Amino acid sequence: MQQPQDPPTTGLPAPSERAPRVGPQRGPAPDGAASGAPSAAEATARGEATAVGRLAGTVERLRLELERAQAHSAGRAVVEMGVGVLVERLRCGPTEAAGQLESLAEQAGVSTLALAADLVNQAAADQISALARAFVEGAAVPPDEPDEPVAVRLRSTEADALAGGDAAAAARAMLDHALRPLGVTAVAVWAAHPDLSLSLAGSAGFHEEEARRWRHVPPGVPTPARRALDERAAVGYPTLAEASLPSVGQHEIRGGRLAVPAGKGGRLIGVLELCWPEELPELSQPLQRQFEALAEVAAATLESAGGREPRVPEAVDGQFDELRQLTDGLLDPCMVLRPAPDGDDLPPPFVIRHVNPAFVDFAGRPTGVIAGARLLEAYPLAAEPGGLAEKVEHVFATGEPFRTPALRLAALVDGVPLVTRAQVSVSRHGSHVAVVWRLDDGTPRVARLLQHAQRLGRIGGFEEDLRTRRIAWNDTVFELHGLPPTASPIALDQLPDHAHPDDRHALGRFLRTLLHHHRPASTAFRLQRPDGVTRHIRVVAEPVHEPDSGLRTVRGAYQDISAQHWTEVALAATRDQLAQSEQQAAERSRLALQLQHAIMPPARGPLDLPDLRVGVRYRPAEKGHLVGGDWYDALPLPSGDVLLCVGDVAGHGIEAATGMVALRNALRGLAATGAGPAQLLGWLNSVTHHLTDNVTATAVCGLYRPGARRLRWARAGHPPPVLLRGGRATTLPQLGGILLGAVDQADYEEGELVLEPGDQLVMYTDGLIERRDESFQASLAGLMALAEQARGASAGGADGLEEHLDHLLRYSNADTDDDTCLVGIAVR
């Protein structure tokens, strides 16, 4: 046996250089510090530094012990292989061979692990042995090469990988022993299958959830591992982002990637993929050899663990081929499901492995979106109780076929649920489930309904091939254009020649949007038919894009909107008439309001008369168009009396306003005769009945005699005045008298009242007190309470009359939005 030569140097710094001292060190005293005994503060600081140094030293010692323990554990298998080599060559027992190995290592001045690895390399003819020979012969090594020789690290990796027995253990061993010192942070071992799919047999450095998502890669997915298998050589990428290829850990480790094919005996059975956090380092020849050696270890692991075999037995794949051929011959849509390869749940999730050529998604999605997806990803609403997913799970679990003439199928497309009913058949074939459906669209019935809908809506569809110039019209389009079914259809670009000249510009924009910009468009135009009839037509169309040849077909619809057009014309005329009527009504209301304000301004100063002060208020209705017929008057008469009256003509508008003017002026003229209030109201009733057009009104008429302070008054269906005396409010007696204009002749009672200095009398219209939810008596009681409150808040007497009237208007709780007239009399 050849003795090893002097151990090779690694070019690494001595242990003392690699392990910096962490304890406190003595040095020169700081500038200005006195030598001798340290101060108390310095002693405290030095004590803390000593404690920290001891702690750091303890941590460093434990770290070194852990590294030695890991190295000893990793190298034990290599030492055992070296002992096995000596047992075979020296024909001795294991104990004697182990002693010989330690003795030879001591004589050669190398570690037992290094000598064992050298013995294994001499006995093996593989890439690791070649790397060891190149190293001994002085081949260049990376500057960051760790203290263990390459052969020792690789043999430790191989030993741990083979001891683990699966690709996951091999990936961990490669990352821990050989690759982490080279900057690699994650490793993936892919197994290649005959159907060109890949499976993640083992990995290290990735999150468990990420590795689980990448357990299976379907055929045709371009990944770094797939490229390495296709090129049968190592493939490297500076960063995975620049490569634009999907792979495991693509979101967490975006640095360099290297994929090295793994083979045995000239057969590629897998790929070793290495991941760096930063860009891919420069790959020297020694590094490439190391990665090739590790790929050989991965291949050995896949070979021993059966990783190169397909995920399903060959018999099942043969059965799948037969099932695929069978479903491809069906005329109804069919999809073949199988349990997800990485699914450990019960019931298992199902993947749509194959769809036949007749398959049409009832939601209108392309077949490529459905094939390869999970059943509940493509049809999430199938998970509803009694839905398709439940039927598939039952058939797979029991083997009993399922058939139904009507099953609800639902899909969610862009957040919108699409639902249909279909005849469904579900059957199990080995580890696969075949789902066949026939959409229950009732094609003949739907076609008839569509024809009736087109007839009722006067809509016709068309399709035009822009290359072959072939045009397809249905019968409704021929009818809309006034052409027989045997005539040649009109192409879209010829529509301006058949339209009204004023509409050709709009058709030009429609054609540019559709044919040039390739966007859906619509417009309305007047079609001039050959029979001389002009129809109003709306056309809407969309381009149909083909992936390989761009725009080729245009499809759309024509609709006869003539009836709608004339309806819109009639509505426009009606709107104009309505607007004119509204304008006239507004003008009448404005004139009535002007007439009312001209006679009775909303604000009018008080009147100073002998023995009394008179204040008046008028509040128009809240809505401008509700111009009412309320009126008031306070007028000294030639007889020396003062006429005080308030009235309310029924209704609103110009008629009420003109009626109010007529009654007010008539009462003024009649009062000049010197007659009493009752007689005045009797005459005014005759005037209202005979000289006005259906006018009725209520009124209160009073004659006040100064000096005597005597008030004579009468009422015609009007609320009685309110008297405030001594802080108390009372109503005057309810004298008899019907409203004005109701009958030809009417008699009215007359009352007399002697007023006292300080009294206030309020005459008003019902707009001050009337409420929809109260009786007249309740409203009158509320007015008396408000009058007492207003009298208390005002200055009292004649001086507080204006404040009193303003308070009554401001705090009145009436809710009928009617006009309000208010006359206040304060006796001095």
Side-chain angles (χ1 to χ4, degrees):
M1 164 179 164
Q2 181 181 359
Q3 297 294 331
Q5 304 298 322
D6 293 337
T9 60
T10 63
L12 297 173
S16 60
E17 298 175 356
R18 296 195 306 272
R21 299 178 60 186
V22 296
Q25 302 181 12
R26 296 182 180 274
D31 295 340
S35 60
S39 64
E42 293 175 346
T44 301
R46 184 170 300 174
E48 293 176 355
T50 303
V52 173
R54 286 199 298 269
L55 179 60
T58 302
V59 172
E60 179 67 15
R61 185 174 64 257
L62 293 175
R63 184 183 66 80
L64 294 176
E65 290 179 359
L66 178 60
E67 289 181 354
R68 284 195 295 269
Q70 290 176 344
H72 178 71
S73 174
R76 185 181 303 121
V78 179
V79 172
E80 291 177 354
M81 287 192 295
V83 169
V85 172
L86 289 181
V87 168
E88 190 272 334
R89 293 192 177 181
L90 299 180
R91 299 292 191 271
C92 60
T95 304
E96 184 180 355
Q100 286 289 338
L101 182 62
E102 293 179 0
S103 175
L104 292 173
E106 185 178 358
Q107 294 176 15
V110 297
S111 65
T112 305
L113 177 60
L115 181 59
D118 188 53
L119 290 174
V120 175
N121 287 336
Q122 291 181 10
D126 54 11
Q127 295 247 17
I128 301 178
S129 304
L131 280 172
R133 288 193 298 272
F135 181 80
V136 173
E137 294 170 0
V141 294
D144 57 347
E145 186 73 38
D147 13 1
E148 280 187 354
V150 174
V152 175
R153 290 189 288 109
L154 295 181
R155 285 302 178 194
S156 300
T157 300
E158 182 184 37
D160 275 9
L162 294 178
D166 60 6
R172 290 192 297 270
M174 285 187 280
L175 182 62
D176 294 336
H177 300 319
L179 295 174
R180 204 181 296 278
L182 302 179
V184 177
T185 57
V187 180
V189 178
W190 300 95
H193 303 312
D195 62 352
L196 302 183
S197 65
L198 295 173
S199 59
L200 187 61
S203 63
F206 301 104
H207 291 306
E208 182 178 354
E209 183 179 355
E210 176 70 6
R212 185 163 53 249
R213 282 198 296 263
W214 283 86
R215 284 300 179 190
H216 178 71
V217 179
V221 179
T223 62
R226 186 73 260 166
R227 293 284 175 82
L229 288 174
D230 293 341
E231 299 182 14
R232 304 183 67 85
V235 176
Y237 300 96
T239 62
L240 188 61
E242 294 179 3
S244 299
L245 295 176
S247 187
V248 59
Q250 57 186 355
H251 299 296
E252 49 184 326
I253 307 176
R254 303 175 60 86
R257 290 291 175 110
L258 179 67
V260 185
K264 291 287 290 184
R267 295 177 294 109
L268 295 181
I269 61 176
V271 179
L272 175 66
E273 185 173 350
L274 313 178
C275 310
W276 280 265
E278 305 295 338
E279 288 192 358
L280 182 70
E282 183 177 356
L283 299 179
S284 61
Q285 189 174 7
L287 280 178
Q288 293 180 12
R289 291 183 179 178
Q290 290 187 49
F291 298 146
E292 292 172 0
L294 291 174
E296 190 175 83
V297 173
T301 305
L302 292 173
E303 181 80 10
S304 61
R308 66 182 180 89
E309 295 298 327
R311 290 188 168 272
V312 292
E314 197 66 37
V316 175
D317 263 358
Q319 191 177 39
F320 169 70
D321 292 339
E322 295 180 1
L323 180 60
R324 180 172 54 188
Q325 295 175 8
L326 175 64
T327 58
D328 287 350
L330 296 178
L331 299 179
D332 292 324
C334 176
M335 56 184 179
V336 178
L337 312 177
R338 70 167 178 180
D342 54 348
D344 298 329
D345 302 332
L346 289 177
F350 288 89
V351 175
I352 303 175
R353 187 175 184 184
H354 176 67
V355 294
N356 68 344
F359 182 84
V360 176
D361 177 47
F362 63 85
R365 293 169 294 181
T367 304
V369 177
I370 306 301
R374 295 198 175 195
L375 177 63
L376 293 183
E377 291 175 356
Y379 302 100
L381 300 182
E384 61 187 356
L388 180 62
E390 183 179 303
K391 306 304 181 185
V392 170
E393 294 166 1
H394 177 78
V395 171
F396 184 78
T398 63
E400 301 175 359
F402 169 80
R403 292 178 180 84
T404 180
L407 181 67
R408 183 177 183 269
L409 299 179
L412 198 64
V413 180
D414 296 332
V416 179
L418 302 177
V419 181
T420 187
R421 303 192 72 82
Q423 303 178 33
V424 177
S425 171
V426 184
S427 57
R428 193 182 76 182
H429 303 268
S431 60
H432 293 77
V433 175
V435 179
V436 182
W437 65 46
R438 177 178 297 174
L439 298 180
D440 186 18
D441 57 359
T443 302
R445 179 172 53 88
V446 171
R448 288 195 302 270
L449 291 177
L450 180 59
Q451 290 177 357
H452 290 303
Q454 291 177 343
R455 176 181 58 83
L456 294 174
R458 298 192 61 79
I459 299 174
F462 69 90
E463 185 174 274
E464 182 173 341
D465 192 317
L466 300 179
R467 297 185 182 179
T468 63
R469 308 299 295 177
R470 296 184 58 184
I471 304 173
W473 280 8
N474 65 0
D475 294 340
T476 306
V477 179
F478 284 100
E479 294 177 5
L480 295 180
H481 283 76
L483 298 175
T486 57
S488 298
I490 300 174
L492 283 175
D493 54 6
Q494 297 175 0
L495 276 181
D497 298 335
H498 300 268
H500 191 279
D502 294 342
D503 297 336
R504 292 175 183 174
H505 183 65
L507 280 173
R509 289 197 306 268
F510 164 76
L511 294 175
R512 282 195 300 273
T513 303
L514 179 66
L515 303 179
H516 179 67
H517 299 292
H518 297 176
R519 295 199 305 265
S522 65
T523 190
F525 67 99
R526 284 165 288 181
L527 176 67
Q528 295 181 332
R529 306 196 321 183
D531 55 6
V533 176
T534 299
R535 307 297 296 177
H536 291 264
I537 300 294
R538 174 174 296 278
V539 57
V540 56
E542 65 177 359
V544 181
H545 298 278
E546 298 184 7
D548 55 343
S549 58
L551 178 61
R552 179 171 180 173
T553 306
V554 174
R555 62 190 174 198
Y558 292 99
Q559 182 181 14
D560 187 350
I561 59 172
S562 300
Q564 177 184 349
H565 170 76
W566 294 117
T567 301
E568 292 178 353
V569 171
L571 287 176
T574 303
R575 284 194 297 266
D576 292 341
Q577 293 177 356
L578 180 61
Q580 184 177 3
S581 300
E582 291 178 350
Q583 183 178 1
Q584 293 175 352
E587 185 67 18
R588 289 169 58 87
S589 297
R590 185 181 63 82
L591 292 176
L593 189 61
Q594 288 178 348
L595 176 63
Q596 190 180 55
H597 287 177
I599 299 174
M600 294 178 301
R604 182 176 176 179
L607 300 175
D608 289 323
L609 300 173
D611 295 341
L612 78 160
R613 185 182 179 91
V614 179
V616 293
R617 293 289 187 274
Y618 172 70
R619 181 177 63 189
E622 293 186 7
K623 298 180 179 179
H625 64 278
L626 294 179
V627 177
D630 290 13
W631 52 278
Y632 62 88
D633 208 351
L635 178 69
L637 298 175
S639 62
D641 292 343
V642 177
L643 175 66
L644 302 171
C645 59
V646 171
D648 185 3
V649 176
H652 295 87
I654 189 68
E655 292 81 4
T658 54
M660 172 267 295
V661 173
L663 295 183
R664 184 172 181 266
N665 293 336
L667 184 59
R668 279 191 169 193
L670 293 172
T673 62
Q679 184 62 55
L680 291 177
L681 289 182
W683 290 341
L684 188 61
N685 173 70
S686 297
V687 170
T688 305
H689 183 77
H690 293 287
L691 301 182
T692 60
D693 188 12
N694 298 323
V695 172
T696 57
T698 63
V700 170
C701 179
L703 291 176
Y704 177 76
R705 174 65 57 91
R709 297 189 180 90
R710 185 183 64 177
L711 175 70
R712 292 184 298 158
W713 69 285
R715 58 181 288 269
H718 201 83
V722 175
L723 174 65
L724 285 92
R725 174 177 291 176
R728 301 293 298 176
T730 59
T731 61
L732 297 187
Q734 295 272 8
L735 301 178
I738 65 172
L739 57 86
L740 303 174
V743 295
D744 183 14
Q745 299 290 332
D747 295 329
Y748 295 90
E749 295 183 11
E750 184 175 303
E752 185 174 331
L753 174 68
V754 177
L755 298 178
E756 300 177 359
D759 287 351
Q760 285 189 6
L761 187 68
V762 178
M763 304 168 67
Y764 54 91
T765 59
D766 57 3
L768 181 68
I769 64 172
E770 195 172 28
R771 288 187 60 85
R772 299 181 179 89
D773 57 348
E774 288 184 355
S775 65
F776 174 77
Q777 295 300 328
S779 299
L780 191 59
L783 173 62
M784 289 189 292
L786 181 62
E788 293 177 357
Q789 179 186 2
R791 180 64 178 271
S794 63
D799 296 333
L801 178 62
E802 299 294 318
E803 298 178 8
H804 187 199
L805 297 180
D806 291 337
H807 188 91
L808 290 178
L809 283 178
R810 183 179 303 113
Y811 295 105
S812 168
N813 61 352
D815 63 355
T816 57
D817 297 334
D818 201 359
D819 290 9
T820 300
C821 281
L822 192 61
V823 176
I825 304 166
V827 181
R828 292 184 288 190

